[in-house]
Amino acid sequence: MPKVARKEKILEKASGLFRNKGYHGTTIRDISEASGILSGSLYAHIRSKEDLLFEITDRGAEHFLQSVRPIIEGEGDAITKLRKAMVAHVQVITDHLEAATVFFHEWKSLTDERRHMIQTKRDEYEGLWAQLLVEGMNEGCFRKVDEKFARLLILSAMNGLYQWYQPDGEQTPIEVAERYASILLAGLAHREGSAL
Amino acid sequence: MPKVARKEKILEKASGLFRNKGYHGTTIRDISEASGILSGSLYAHIRSKEDLLFEITDRGAEHFLQSVRPIIEGEGDAITKLRKAMVAHVQVITDHLEAATVFFHEWKSLTDERRHMIQTKRDEYEGLWAQLLVEGMNEGCFRKVDEKFARLLILSAMNGLYQWYQPDGEQTPIEVAERYASILLAGLAHREGSAL
DNA sequence: CCTACCGATCGGTAGG
DNA sequence: CCTACCGATCGGTAGG
């Protein structure tokens, strides 16, 4: 196996283990076994266990940024862009379930410098959504609610997906995202329901 | 310090450490330092590190069940009950931030038997929400959407709270819950907005 | 990429 | 609840 492919295999196996057992719950020997390489030999490909965590987390961050940024910074009305951005976000989660989970959960185990690098990307990503929500409220197509509040609600709701989404389920990522968008935009209650 | 108070202090310190560093990232020596007891002496109060994790997780589960069950099984229309149940759920999170985080994140580190015990309580809790949503759809006050889908969206959105809620912030738990309920019930979009 | 290994630290225990 | 300690395992390295 070529060297790059071997490294990718190690990253892939480590992602799965970090997702299921956590970073601290996963040992170098777990990763070496899953990769079919003895633990000492792993260090021909990586410099440290934390390097693996950083690389996985950073890739996760980049997936989200690169998928969603062009949509939010592009043309269109806010509702259309919100739908598209939600579809893109959900697809990053479903296409990279392991990396997304590690990105959400395990980044806090990084040591200072690298944790700050990831934090910066997280802030940038949240900023994109903030921009979209403010835009939509100014355009008048969103109700004027607290922006930070709405943003965290939307992101939390979508991010919950990684805990229950099953790739072999009936629903495609696009269907999932559309249903989320529908409920979040239109609400759960009937219009003729009691006073809201 | 009486024995029971000492045990409570250990549980409290362990909750905070498990929340911040994860179960596997926390050592017995971390817990003993935080509690002001030498690590060997800890075992006069606990039988194992996993016992601590189980007790914290199980208490978390019970907080949610005991707060929300009476509301959902009580009288009232579904919209009122949904609001109340959301307030109760949010208050469990804000009142027991550490235990709630451990309940959401770290329960998977339990070994088989105990993990199953927690899984059973999780299922029971989700069942309560399922019951409420089905009730609301049958009463006609909720739109007929996929029940499982709506339930996971609501729970995911609320559970995201433990990641960003700050006890010293401006918003009270009740305000947070009310805002969540408002967006989830009425939706983010203006009624006169584009076709939904 | 393997063999052989290391110092540090882990969860936990014996005896008082 | 302390002192003293243990076997196991950890992340990582030297030399080939």
Side-chain angles (χ1 to χ4, degrees):
Chain A
M1 199 182 291
K3 204 174 172 188
V4 178
R6 186 71 80 176
K7 175 75 182 286
E8 286 307 312
K9 184 170 182 180
I10 293 169
L11 280 167
E12 191 190 311
K13 295 297 182 184
S15 301
L17 286 162
F18 290 169
R19 167 175 158 90
N20 290 324
K21 308 176 64 169
Y23 174 68
H24 290 297
T26 300
T27 69
I28 282 292
R29 285 158 180 84
D30 289 334
I31 299 169
S32 73
E33 267 176 47
S35 311
I37 302 176
L38 292 188
S39 67
S41 310
L42 215 55
Y43 289 86
H45 301 278
I46 67 171
R47 279 185 307 174
S48 70
K49 187 186 169 190
E50 201 198 315
D51 271 29
L52 278 175
L53 177 61
F54 178 70
E55 198 154 336
I56 293 165
T57 311
D58 191 58
R59 286 190 186 189
E62 288 298 329
H63 282 309
F64 284 109
L65 281 167
Q66 287 170 21
S67 293
V68 171
R69 190 193 284 119
I71 293 168
I72 292 185
E73 293 182 345
E75 294 299 311
D77 66 290
I79 287 188
T80 305
K81 281 160 74 171
L82 180 62
R83 283 184 180 281
K84 281 188 187 168
M86 287 182 67
V87 170
H89 184 96
V90 165
Q91 276 197 312
V92 171
I93 295 177
T94 54
D95 288 353
H96 309 276
L97 204 52
E98 283 87 7
T101 305
V102 174
F103 175 62
F104 291 135
H105 263 157
E106 304 297 329
W107 70 283
K108 284 188 181 169
S109 295
L110 289 166
T111 49
D112 286 351
E113 192 186 353
R114 289 163 148 180
R115 198 178 60 251
H116 288 140
M117 290 171 66
I118 297 298
Q119 182 65 58
T120 302
K121 294 195 180 183
R122 297 179 77 89
D123 291 345
E124 187 186 344
Y125 191 63
E126 294 216 351
L128 288 170
W129 288 86
Q131 183 185 325
L132 175 58
L133 287 169
V134 169
E135 199 177 300
M137 291 182 205
N138 289 340
E139 283 181 10
C141 52
F142 295 159
R143 286 163 54 207
K144 297 233 176 196
V145 294
D146 184 277
E147 171 277 314
K148 184 186 171 196
F149 200 88
R151 163 167 47 96
L152 293 167
L153 169 58
I154 294 172
L155 287 171
S156 296
M158 289 192 297
N159 292 348
L161 199 63
Y162 80 87
Q163 288 180 317
W164 61 266
Y165 181 75
Q166 277 160 344
D168 51 344
E170 307 112 42
Q171 297 179 35
T172 67
I174 294 177
E175 283 170 351
V176 171
E178 286 290 347
R179 290 194 180 190
Y180 265 130
S182 161
I183 293 180
L184 283 170
L185 283 168
L188 200 58
H190 266 136
R191 272 81 206 269
E192 65 272 36
S194 25
L196 296 174
Chain B
M1 196 182 293
K3 205 175 171 188
V4 177
R6 187 70 81 177
K7 176 74 183 285
E8 286 308 312
K9 184 171 184 182
I10 294 169
L11 280 168
E12 192 190 309
K13 295 297 182 185
S15 302
L17 287 161
F18 290 169
R19 167 175 158 90
N20 290 324
K21 308 175 64 169
Y23 174 69
H24 290 297
T26 301
T27 69
I28 281 292
R29 283 159 182 84
D30 289 334
I31 298 169
S32 73
E33 268 177 47
S35 310
I37 303 175
L38 293 186
S39 66
S41 310
L42 215 56
Y43 289 86
H45 301 278
I46 66 171
R47 279 185 308 174
S48 69
K49 187 185 169 191
E50 201 197 315
D51 271 29
L52 279 175
L53 177 60
F54 177 71
E55 197 154 336
I56 293 166
T57 310
D58 191 58
R59 287 190 186 189
E62 287 298 330
H63 283 308
F64 285 110
L65 281 167
Q66 285 170 22
S67 292
V68 171
R69 190 194 283 120
I71 295 168
I72 292 186
E73 292 182 344
E75 293 299 310
D77 66 290
I79 286 188
T80 305
K81 280 161 74 171
L82 181 61
R83 284 184 182 281
K84 282 188 186 168
M86 286 180 68
V87 171
H89 183 96
V90 165
Q91 277 198 311
V92 171
I93 294 177
T94 55
D95 289 352
H96 310 275
L97 205 50
E98 284 86 8
T101 305
V102 174
F103 175 63
F104 290 137
H105 264 157
E106 303 298 329
W107 69 284
K108 285 188 180 171
S109 295
L110 289 166
T111 48
D112 285 351
E113 192 186 353
R114 289 163 148 180
R115 200 177 59 252
H116 288 141
M117 288 172 67
I118 297 297
Q119 181 65 59
T120 301
K121 294 195 180 181
R122 297 180 76 90
D123 291 345
E124 186 186 345
Y125 191 62
E126 294 217 349
L128 287 171
W129 288 86
Q131 181 186 326
L132 175 58
L133 287 168
V134 168
E135 198 177 301
M137 291 181 204
N138 288 341
E139 282 180 11
C141 51
F142 296 159
R143 286 163 55 209
K144 296 234 174 192
V145 295
D146 185 279
E147 171 277 314
K148 184 186 170 195
F149 200 87
R151 163 167 46 96
L152 293 168
L153 168 57
I154 293 170
L155 288 172
S156 297
M158 289 192 297
N159 292 349
L161 199 63
Y162 79 88
Q163 288 180 316
W164 61 266
Y165 181 75
Q166 278 159 344
D168 50 344
E170 307 112 41
Q171 299 178 34
T172 68
I174 294 178
E175 283 170 350
V176 171
E178 286 291 347
R179 290 194 179 190
Y180 265 129
S182 161
I183 294 180
L184 283 170
L185 282 168
L188 201 57
H190 266 134
R191 273 78 208 273
E192 65 271 35
S194 25
L196 297 174

